[in-house]
Each structure stands twice: as C-alpha cells, then as structure tokens.
Amino acid sequence: MNQDMTKNKVVSVVGAGLVGTLEACLLAQRGYQVHLYEYRPDIRTLEHVPGRSINLAMSVRGRTGLRAAGVEDRVIRHHGIPMHGRMIHNTDGSTRSIPYNKDRQCIYSVGRRFVNEVLLDRADELPNITTHFSHKLVSCKLEKGEATFLNTVTGEEVTREADLLVGCDGAYSNVRKSMMRQPFFNYSQNYIPHGYMELCIPPTPEGEFAMPPNYLHIWPRGKFMMIALPNQDRSWTVTLFMPFPLFEGITASEQLLSFFKTYYPDAIPLIGREKLINDFFSNKALPMIYVKCSPYHVGATGLIMGDAAHAMVPFYGQGMNCGMEDCVVLNELLDQYDDDLAAALPAYSAKRNPDAEAIVDLALYNYIEMRDLVNSRSFLLRKKFDDLLSTILPSYWLPLYTMVTFTRQPYHRCIAKKKWQDRVVKNILSVAGMAGVGAGVVLAKTDSLHTLSCSILSQLSTLLTKTWAAATSVPAIRQ
Ligand code: FAD
Ligand code: EGU
C-alpha cells in the first residue's frame, strides 16, 4: 500500500465495538490518521460492562479480520474455547453430540469484552489512532465527513471534519439514520416475535465446567430454544430464545419451574433453582432486529459497516464474523484502488451488499427452519441425503453451514451453491423415484438390467448437466 496517499487523510470512526475498533486498526495500519469515538467510557476501566450477549461464536471470517490486525492468536489462544460440535439436549435429559467437521475444524467461544479489549489494546499500540471515549455522536454531515459529538463527561460538543466518516455504531446506528436523508438510500428494519434472555450456569463447587466444555450446547424445542456457550471462568452463558408473549406469560416462580421441568429439566440443577428464579425475574427479554439497506457509502466521505449496515438475527452465529469480514473486504478494495476513496467506497457497497443481505436472509431462514421444520419428515429425509452426499464427496459437496462457517466463500455464493445442491438432490430423488417405477416395468418385461441402468444413468447425467448449467449461468442468485 502507498502510505503517502493516506498519511495526511483523517478518518473518524464512530463506535469502538468489535467492528469499529478493528476498522480503526486496519485504517491506521494503512497510514490514515484515525479518530475513534465511543459513546461508552473505556470498557477496560469498567468492572461490569452492560449490554448484550456475553460470549459469541467466532469462526474463520472473524478470525481473518483479527489476523489482519495481528491479534488472531491473542484472541484465539488466550480467550477462545474451542467448540468441536454441538451437544443436543433432549427433553428427557439425554444428550447426543454432532461434530462440526471431520478435519478437526472448530469454532471458538469468545467473550465479547475480551475481544473488544484486545482490539482496543491493539489500537493503543498504533500511534496514529486517537481514541475518544464518552463521546456520543449527535449529528453528522456525511457529504463533508463531518460529525458532532457530545462529550458525556464535560457536556461539551465537539465537531470534527474528516476525509472519511465510518459509522460502526451498531444495529440502531445514528450514522445510518442520517444516511436515510440521502436520495436512493434503501432501508428496511424488522423485529422478530422472539426475544432472548441470558442466564448463567456457574462452575461446579470443584470449579469445573458443569457440562462438557468443548461444545455448543443446544436445547431445541420447536417454538423456542436454548443455547449455551462456555466462558473463560468455567461458567456458561445460556441464552433462552422465546416469543415475547411466552416470556410475559411467566410471572410466578412456580410457573417458571414447571416450564423448565417440562422443557429443560436437566438445566434446573445446572443453573440452580434459586438462581434460575432470581436471574429470570431480574432480567428482561431483549428484542432482535434485522436490517437491510443499500448503498453503504455516501460519495467518497461516508460509510457504514458491521451491524449498522446489516444487523441480523443471531441464528447463524455470523453477525460479528460478517462485520469483521467487512473490514477485510474494504481493506482489499483499498489495496486494489490505491486508497482512492471515490473509487473504493462504491466498489465496497457493490461488492458487500449482496453478501451482507445473503447472510441476513440465511440467519432469518435458520430461525424459521428451527421453529417450523424440525418436525417435517420430508425435510429430515432430504437433510439425511444431503449429509450422505457430503460424506461421499467431502471436498466437493459442503453442507451450507460448513461453507458459511468454515470457508470465506462469499455468502451469496453459499446460497447459490445450496440452491444448486437442493435441485440436484431433488432431481436425484425424483430419478430414484422414476427408477423405482421403471424397474417394475422393465423387470415385468424381463428386459436386461443393463438397459435399466443405462437409462437411469443417461437421465441422471442429463439432469446433472441441466442443473449445473442452470446454476452456473446465473452468477449471483439472490432472494
Ligand atoms: P456493536 O457491537 O453494537 O458496537 C457498536 C458500538 O457503537 C458500541 O460500542 C456502542 O456503544 C457504540 N455506539 C452506538 N451508538 C453510538 C453513538 N451515537 N455515538 C458513539 N458510539 C456509539 N455474532 C457472531 O459472530 N457470533 C455469535 O455467536 C453471535 N451471537 C449473538 C447473540 C446475540 C443474542 C446477539 C444479539 C448477537 C449475536 N452476534 C453474534 C452478533 C454480534 O453481537 C454483532 O454482530 C456485533 O456485535 C456487531 O458489532 P458492531 O461493532 O457492528 O456493533
Ligand atoms: C445462536 C445464538 C446451532 C450464538 C444454528 C447451529 C447461535 C450462536 C446453527 C447465539 C444452532 C443454530 C452455527 C454455528 C451458531 C450449529 C450454525 C448460533 C452461535 C446452522 C450466543 N450457529 N450459533 N448453525 O450448527 O452454523 O451449531 O447466542 F442452534 S455457531 Cl440456531 Cl457453526
């Protein structure tokens, strides 16, 4: 990269969360003068950080971002707990585990706070980043890269004009709000009927994990579910997902206990009766929102990234991963365009929007699938067949979650490949069906078995050629 092009350029980054702090580091490494603004005080000075989800599942896309900032090892080695598979908990308390991957590929449970702190420490190592905590963005002029902040300690307002203003201020982004006044800016936001509540399984009296630690634990129950990820201190963060009316319907301790006895009996002793009652009634269920918008830039002076651009429901464990991949994609485009922001920003919007919308859709689809499809028989049959194909063709036929979680294939390509696979499975199953009928006819006529297999094979190859052509002739299949 050409540091002469960047060293006199000033960038304001709004939001020192997971994405903003990473983006500040990557821009500073390119030579920009970066000012990083954050509404909250420095979380490294706080004893307790308020806010959502304590731990997150980190996979390759997030790790690629961390690597670009030189902190992948710090996060994964010191703050990551490997999860090699899921552990499914049934209502009778029995469990079964399903590994993620045959080649020991795994995901990591990381604490939000730890990841954020490692990134803030990295930002402090870079001399051309200035951090401004307790600074709340109150307004901005994106066409001028200008932003005004309220210093929540002194009550003063400060305005900074920069070459570029990057909004990484989360799902309820203020920077995005001001983009909505731009012509041709499209925007949609949706709440889902489910809420989530975090509970905690403490370590055992011996100080050990109360469940096998190297799994993502799942209690799937159709209309609601629970998930648990391990923490560094050997506790577990349990997240209960349920429609809001169900949360609101539980108002007394006995109701809560009978609900848990029915659906999550094994979790009661793990959390502890008293603690469960205490935590459930002192917590409140939080909403989940997803956001789609485009474009992500304004001229050569404004940009939104991370949840600000594409908040999603958490049912694929990809929100942070996708946001960190945003930073990698922008970095690659700045390389390609020699830090010419007027060219790189529109290229970023064009490249990133189809992929961001694809993962927003995939996460939403998972949410619906979890609720509605877990009991459908034809769905399960197709899933079994799909799994079989990925066992027979391990490097060629990757299940969707493997493409999403363990590769960096663009999300929209993952969807396109999945659609192609679905068509192939459907065709094979229908050929198998036809073959069944054909076999009856052919055998009745005592024709040779050779004729039969030839006819099946030729039909199959025609279908495969057709579906392949269909899949490859549409470069980006979008919903
Ligand atoms: P945020 O983390 O929201 O950071 C935004 C920052 O901007 C904050 O620090 C905020 O204080 C600051 N800010 C906001 N407004 C202003 C303002 N006006 N002025 C100044 N600063 C401001 N993702 C995964 O990859 N894996 C998971 O397993 C996973 N699990 C999840 C579970 C749940 C229940 C939820 C809700 C989300 C989950 N996610 C997961 C998604 C992940 O949390 C987000 O995608 C990620 O935090 C987005 O990072 P961000 O930096 O864009 O936004
Ligand atoms: C939800 C909430 C298991 C953290 C989707 C899997 C999630 C996470 C799954 C949360 C599920 C669901 C996948 C990963 C991950 C699974 C995945 C979901 C982390 C298809 C803290 N999901 N999540 N799929 O395969 O690909 O294990 O809150 F329950 S990690 Cl909903 Cl891989």
Side-chain angles (χ1 to χ4, degrees):
M1 75 198 76
N2 183 354
Q3 297 236 347
D4 292 341
M5 289 284 293
T6 59
K7 71 166 178 258
N8 295 317
K9 283 191 192 163
V10 176
V11 183
S12 298
V13 176
V14 184
L18 302 175
V19 176
T21 314
L22 175 61
E23 187 50 34
C25 291
L26 297 192
L27 289 171
Q29 287 175 188
R30 302 189 73 82
Y32 292 91
Q33 301 299 321
V34 180
H35 290 267
L36 177 59
Y37 291 92
E38 167 58 44
Y39 173 42
R40 296 171 302 177
D42 187 343
I43 52 162
R44 291 169 297 183
T45 66
L46 300 178
E47 207 191 322
H48 178 74
V49 181
R52 71 223 152 92
S53 91
I54 293 150
N55 53 20
L56 308 128
M58 163 91 65
S59 45
V60 281
R61 297 176 201 262
R63 291 177 67 175
T64 311
L66 295 175
R67 194 176 316 140
V71 296
E72 183 188 13
D73 274 10
R74 272 194 249 175
V75 170
I76 297 296
R77 285 238 193 90
H78 302 300
H79 302 302
I81 300 168
M83 298 185 287
H84 298 287
R86 319 95 170 147
M87 179 84 74
I88 315 277
H89 294 243
N90 301 313
T91 25
D92 64 3
S94 63
T95 57
R96 109 191 114 101
S97 68
I98 309 170
Y100 280 121
N101 203 282
K102 285 165 285 297
D103 333 319
R104 280 192 64 79
Q105 271 177 310
C106 63
I107 57 177
Y108 289 83
S109 175
V110 295
R112 179 187 295 276
R113 178 182 186 157
F114 284 126
V115 181
N116 213 335
E117 291 188 352
V118 166
L119 285 166
L120 287 169
D121 287 346
R122 171 66 185 143
D124 284 350
E125 290 169 16
L126 295 162
N128 47 338
I129 298 186
T130 313
T131 43
H132 309 262
F133 294 104
S134 304
H135 276 65
K136 181 184 182 175
L137 178 110
V138 285
S139 67
C140 59
K141 292 187 183 132
L142 286 157
E143 329 69 62
K144 287 172 49 183
E146 187 186 287
T148 301
F149 301 90
L150 172 71
N151 182 327
T152 57
V153 176
T154 64
E156 278 172 307
E157 283 201 352
V158 285
T159 298
R160 178 179 303 277
E161 195 173 325
D163 295 283
L164 174 63
L165 177 66
V166 186
C168 303
D169 48 348
Y172 304 95
S173 168
N174 265 316
V175 178
R176 185 184 66 221
K177 217 166 277 164
S178 88
M179 268 194 186
M180 295 213 253
R181 287 195 289 269
Q182 299 287 327
F184 307 110
F185 181 75
N186 291 315
Y187 171 76
S188 74
Q189 82 170 41
N190 289 270
Y191 282 94
I192 60 170
H194 278 57
Y196 72 95
M197 184 187 281
E198 291 189 326
L199 300 165
C200 173
I201 295 177
T204 62
E206 298 76 42
E208 285 305 315
F209 279 109
M211 303 187 290
N214 299 114
Y215 294 95
L216 187 153
H217 289 253
I218 312 173
W219 290 255
R221 300 291 181 263
K223 292 249 182 295
F224 37 87
M225 77 181 299
M226 220 162 60
I227 276 195
L229 270 71
N231 292 315
Q232 212 68 32
D233 66 359
R234 309 202 167 175
S235 66
W236 293 84
T237 300
V238 185
T239 313
L240 175 60
F241 295 94
M242 229 166 36
F244 273 103
L246 262 165
F247 272 114
E248 284 150 15
I250 300 175
T251 53
S253 316
E254 314 83 70
Q255 262 181 309
L256 176 67
L257 286 175
S258 86
F259 173 76
F260 264 75
K261 265 182 206 144
T262 311
Y263 295 106
Y264 308 116
D266 59 337
I268 301 176
L270 290 171
I271 300 173
R273 265 174 106 88
E274 289 310 307
K275 190 170 162 53
L276 172 62
I277 295 168
N278 223 351
D279 291 0
F280 185 92
F281 292 111
S282 59
N283 257 331
K284 70 174 203 252
L286 299 170
M288 284 172 279
I289 192 175
Y290 63 94
V291 167
K292 288 184 183 180
C293 63
S294 81
Y296 301 137
H297 72 288
V298 174
T301 52
L303 190 65
I304 48 172
M305 301 175 83
D307 276 15
H310 47 64
M312 63 193 75
V313 295
F315 302 102
Y316 231 118
Q318 284 293 313
M320 161 193 62
N321 284 289
C322 176
M324 291 185 167
E325 193 179 52
D326 287 354
C327 304
V328 175
V329 169
L330 180 63
N331 215 27
E332 287 164 355
L333 289 168
L334 289 171
D335 277 341
Q336 193 179 324
Y337 291 99
D338 244 340
D339 292 281
D340 175 2
L341 296 174
L345 300 194
Y348 173 82
S349 280
K351 169 140 184 58
R352 202 54 181 155
N353 179 255
D355 291 320
E357 293 198 0
I359 190 62
V360 170
D361 284 339
L362 282 172
L364 191 65
Y365 179 77
N366 245 12
Y367 160 69
I368 294 162
E369 176 174 282
M370 251 173 25
R371 279 185 333 185
D372 302 336
L373 292 177
V374 275
N375 299 316
S376 147
R377 279 192 68 221
S378 75
F379 170 77
L380 287 176
L381 178 74
R382 278 179 58 180
K383 198 156 191 112
K384 280 228 168 74
F385 195 70
D386 193 40
D387 290 347
L388 178 74
L389 279 169
S390 49
T391 322
I392 303 170
L393 309 162
S395 59
Y396 185 71
W397 192 285
L398 298 181
L400 181 58
Y401 81 86
T402 305
M403 292 190 272
V404 167
T405 307
F406 295 114
T407 80
R408 273 207 57 215
Q409 291 180 58
Y411 291 119
H412 86 266
R413 288 295 306 157
C414 299
I415 291 190
K417 284 192 177 173
K418 171 66 178 165
K419 285 187 173 168
W420 176 80
Q421 291 176 352
D422 280 350
R423 264 177 290 173
V424 173
V425 169
K426 215 176 122 204
N427 285 334
I428 292 175
L429 289 178
S430 81
V431 169
M434 280 192 281
V437 176
V441 175
V442 170
L443 289 177
K445 289 186 172 174
T446 64
D447 250 332
S448 79
L449 227 82
H450 177 73
T451 320
L452 172 66
S453 51
C454 278
S455 108
I456 293 170
L457 281 176
S458 79
Q459 281 186 63
L460 189 60
S461 80
T462 318
L463 276 165
L464 282 172
T465 319
K466 260 198 234 158
T467 44
W468 174 254
T472 50
S473 65
V474 186
I477 298 168
R478 292 177 55 192
Q479 291 180 317

